């Protein structure tokens, strides 16, 4: 299944947006740095990934990138390095040598480690729990995260919400970890919580999560019986789907195609050219600048 926003020179195979933490990292390496990409979404726990990846030999996992010249690049750390080299002005790594070295350490340790956190608390952007009974091993991983994050900020003299100055590939690597802290209500100190909240409010992340809320049914593997709480990120405006095609706009704000699907927000109706674009907007209207521009026009 493909949801391309525009023609783009890179291809990126991704899994379910709500659950595929590595896909989120890979996509942020494009979207958060202004690099266009055409995504190809497959559903995990089906044969869709293996089938699609036949055209991306020897890749076996999502995300997998294909560059404009046809190079196949699986492994998120390799995607980060290749994009940074091909787009030196995009800011994937900080310019300052010490901050750049620090960011590389962080991304590498994330890529290789935190196995307890990853297995006990799989990414799930559709749920947040009041308590998830974290194991000692999970708490040790969380403690290591706080050590690393705090070390990075001190080493880089960071005054932004991010780890090594401006948002870098290191932050993209920790975005799914921030969502795990949010989903499983893992105990962290005030500095780490500010960092988590910065991720939840990041425009690219909000768009990814909005798409993840609506791009397929819940996957049973991620179901937990912990007590629920509201998602701790920015609250969504109360949009909902309505029948018909009557709307203030006759053309979709994303594609300029004729309106076929409509939402209502505070008594006003706005239309889109397909159900996915309408529903991802309902999931978080403020995540979509083109929609908000229409809303405020
Ligand atoms: N080391 C890989 C990990 C990728 C990975 O495990 N992706 C998962 C989805 S989050 C996947 O493709 N799972 C399907 C499978 O292993 O068959 C990377 O950095 O990209």
């Amino acid at each position: 299944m493909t949801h391309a926003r525009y023609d783009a020179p890179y291809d990126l195979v991704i899994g379910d947006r709500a659950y595929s933490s590595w896909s989120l990292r890979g996509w942020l390496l494009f979207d958060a740095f202004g690099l266009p990409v055409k995504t190809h979404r497959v559903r995990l726990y089906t044969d869709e990934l293996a089938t699609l990846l036949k055209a991306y030999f020897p890749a076996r996992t999502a995300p997998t990138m294909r560059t404009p010249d046809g190079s196949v690049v699986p492994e998120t750390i390799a995607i980060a390095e290749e994009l940074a080299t091909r787009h030196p002005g995009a800011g994937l790594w900080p310019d300052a040598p010490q901050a750049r070295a620090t960011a590389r350490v962080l991304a590498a340790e994330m890529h290789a480690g935190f196995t307890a956190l990853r297995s006990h608390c799989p990414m799930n952007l559709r749920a947040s729990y009041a308590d998830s009974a974290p194991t000692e091993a999970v708490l040790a991983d969380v403690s290591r995260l706080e050590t690393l994050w705090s070390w990075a900020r001190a080493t880089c003299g960071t005054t932004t919400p991010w780890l090594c100055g401006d948002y870098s590939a290191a932050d993209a690597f920790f975005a799914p970890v921030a969502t795990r802290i949010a989903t499983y209500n893992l105990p962290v100190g005030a500095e780490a919580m500010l960092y988590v909240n910065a991720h939840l409010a990041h425009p690219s992340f909000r768009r990814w999560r909005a798409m993840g809320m609506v791009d397929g049914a819940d996957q049973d593997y991620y179901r937990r019986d912990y007590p629920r709480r509201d998602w701790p990120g920015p609250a969504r405006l109360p949009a909902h789907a309505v029948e018909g095609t009557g709307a203030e706009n006759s053309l979709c704000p994303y594609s300029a195609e004729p309106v076929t699907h409509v939402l209502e927000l505070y008594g006003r109706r706005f239309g889109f050219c397909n159900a996915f674009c309408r529903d991802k907007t309902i999931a978080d209207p403020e995540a979509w600048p083109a929609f908000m521009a229409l809303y405020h026009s």
Side-chain angles (χ1 to χ4, degrees):
M1 192 173 171
T2 300
H3 301 302
R5 275 186 294 150
Y6 35 63
D7 287 335
Y10 285 92
D11 290 298
L12 189 71
V13 175
I14 60 169
D16 308 46
R17 292 180 179 87
Y19 307 112
S20 180
S21 60
W22 292 105
S23 298
L24 167 57
R25 291 182 178 97
W27 183 80
L28 285 173
L29 293 169
F30 288 91
D31 201 75
F33 299 93
L35 301 175
V37 66
K38 180 174 178 179
T39 55
H40 306 270
R41 202 274 273 159
V42 297
R43 190 141 168 86
L44 299 176
Y45 310 108
T46 70
D47 59 7
E48 285 182 22
L49 182 61
T51 303
L52 181 57
L53 288 182
K54 283 179 184 158
Y56 291 76
F57 185 82
R60 297 187 301 188
T61 51
T64 288
M65 163 176 93
R66 181 162 34 222
T67 65
D69 56 300
S71 299
V72 170
V73 187
E75 296 299 324
T76 316
I77 195 84
I79 295 173
E81 292 295 1
E82 199 51 36
L83 288 178
T85 303
R86 287 169 184 250
H87 303 279
L92 275 100
W93 299 121
D95 283 335
Q98 197 174 22
R100 186 176 62 230
T102 305
R104 282 188 156 131
V105 170
L106 294 182
E109 184 162 335
M110 181 63 244
H111 192 253
F114 299 99
T115 46
L117 179 68
R118 280 158 55 189
S119 58
H120 188 80
C121 303
M123 189 176 91
N124 180 358
L125 303 183
R126 293 182 177 178
S128 184
Y129 304 107
D131 181 16
S132 60
T135 63
E136 285 302 315
V138 169
L139 294 175
D141 273 354
V142 171
S143 168
R144 175 64 182 166
L145 284 171
E146 294 201 77
T147 301
L148 273 185
W149 291 349
S150 170
W151 167 76
R153 294 177 60 79
T155 302
C156 302
T158 298
T159 54
T160 69
W162 309 111
L163 294 175
C164 306
D166 290 338
Y167 188 100
S168 75
D171 299 299
F173 270 75
F174 285 112
V177 166
T179 76
R180 288 173 160 110
I181 291 170
T183 291
Y184 298 96
N185 199 10
L186 299 173
V188 293
E191 188 187 40
M193 206 60 230
L194 284 174
Y195 182 55
V196 169
N197 288 336
H199 276 292
L200 302 189
H202 188 279
S204 295
F205 173 73
R206 282 182 75 167
R207 285 195 287 277
W208 175 274
R209 179 169 181 265
M211 292 187 279
M213 298 301 285
V214 300
D215 77 346
D218 289 355
Q219 291 269 21
D220 280 343
Y221 174 80
Y222 299 86
R223 197 181 305 276
R224 300 290 185 275
D225 290 330
Y226 306 131
R228 296 245 177 181
R229 63 171 187 165
D230 290 339
W231 180 251
R236 61 175 282 278
L237 298 179
H240 61 271
V242 290
E243 296 294 323
T245 55
E248 293 183 19
N249 58 309
S250 55
L251 300 178
C252 176
Y254 306 137
S255 68
E257 297 289 326
V259 161
T260 55
H261 291 74
V262 176
L263 67 72
E264 186 172 294
L265 176 61
Y266 296 127
R268 296 172 59 193
R269 294 188 173 204
F270 302 96
F272 304 84
C273 69
N274 63 58
F276 179 71
C277 287
R278 188 265 312 268
D279 294 344
K280 77 183 185 185
T281 310
I282 290 173
D284 189 0
E286 288 178 299
W288 305 99
F291 171 69
M292 291 311 288
L294 173 64
Y295 178 72
H296 289 304
S297 65

